[in-house]
Amino acid sequence: SPLFSIALALPFLFFGANELVAKLVAIIFGLACVLVVYEMGKRAYGEEKGFWAAFAFSSVPFFAFLSTRVLSESLFLLLFAACVLVLREVAVENRHSKLALLGALSALLFLARYNGIAIGIVIALVFWKEGKLNVKFAFSKEAMLGAVAFLAVLSPWFYYSFLETGSPIGLAYNFAKQQVHVGQQLFMTLPDRIPTVGGLESIPGSTAFASLAVIGFPIIMGLLIMLS
């Protein structure tokens, strides 16, 4: 996924390509994510609960780990939180003019990590809960602008993917094929490096399990948003 590399390119131009600069960029993304979580909590439940939500979120050790490493997860979490914030404005507060922003953020989320396309499941669940998952809303001016914004942000990636693979979605397709295999090498790249989990490669159906996990996360997030 290209977005994190692009985000690193600008500071590298000014300060040089080194690990310290890259880590500082990741830390900035992490801090911004905490602020977005605070804003979500404040708008939904009040300023005090927003503060404690941000405090609890920032205290999660794994989040702190991801926000201090040169990994795309820090940018991905920031964009995911921003999508949820704008989604609430659109679905709950009926600020349909923000659909274009939601479309652009969803595209950036996809470019941060290709599995970010699953944000579509979250959006569909929330729209369904709020009674907006219908043809009339889908073809409204605001929804069409959201779709245009989504495609416009992705258009350079479509072109680059076509040059590299011969298909506008070839890069994402190749990524999806790589995720199908669950083996020891995949789990050895995790931060805690749990070699025993690599035994999944010998378990029948482990590929299906991994696929369900990728799909299940956004579904669970969507259900939690619906219940909030």
Side-chain angles (χ1 to χ4, degrees), residues 146-164:
V148 169
F150 179 81
L151 294 174
V153 173
L154 286 182
S155 57
W157 176 83
F158 285 139
Y159 178 69
Y160 177 74
S161 179
F162 178 77
L163 293 178
E164 291 292 318

Side-chain angles (χ1 to χ4, degrees), residues 32-219:
C33 185
V34 173
L35 292 177
V36 173
V37 171
Y38 165 75
E39 187 65 23
M40 281 194 291
K42 184 180 75 171
R43 294 189 186 186
Y45 305 108
E47 187 172 350
E48 181 179 356
K49 292 182 179 179
F51 168 79
W52 287 112
F55 179 80
F57 179 76
S58 62
S59 301
V60 176
F62 195 57
F63 171 75
F65 175 88
L66 294 176
S67 299
T68 55
R69 299 296 188 276
V70 188
L71 298 169
S72 61
E73 277 82 353
S74 58
L75 177 57
F76 178 83
L77 289 173
L78 169 60
L79 290 170
F80 185 86
C83 283
V84 173
L85 176 62
V86 177
L87 175 59
R88 185 183 184 279
E89 292 183 344
V90 172
V92 178
E93 301 176 8
N94 292 316
R95 300 176 66 179
H96 296 168
S97 60
K98 293 294 186 73
L99 276 167
L101 177 59
L102 179 60
L105 286 172
S106 299
L108 291 174
L109 182 68
F110 172 76
L111 293 176
R113 290 183 68 86
Y114 290 145
N115 52 14
I117 197 66
I119 189 66
I121 300 175
V122 177
I123 294 173
L125 285 171
V126 174
F127 280 179
W128 173 75
K129 175 188 179 270
E130 299 298 327
K132 300 180 185 297
L133 198 62
N134 53 65
V135 176
K136 181 180 178 181
F137 181 76
F139 285 94
S140 65
K141 176 184 176 182
E142 292 84 358
M144 297 301 291
L145 286 175
V148 169
F150 179 81
L151 294 174
V153 173
L154 286 182
S155 57
W157 176 83
F158 285 139
Y159 178 69
Y160 177 74
S161 179
F162 178 77
L163 293 178
E164 291 292 318
T165 66
S167 170
I169 60 171
L171 293 175
Y173 176 72
N174 292 339
F175 170 80
K177 287 198 301 183
Q178 292 173 0
Q179 302 310 300
V180 170
H181 176 69
V182 180
Q184 185 173 3
Q185 184 177 3
L186 170 65
F187 288 99
M188 287 298 290
T189 62
L190 292 172
D192 45 5
R193 297 181 182 275
I194 307 176
T196 55
V197 185
L200 276 176
E201 63 183 344
S202 61
I203 300 177
S206 60
T207 296
F209 172 79
S211 302
L212 287 173
V214 172
I215 298 173
F217 172 73
I219 292 177

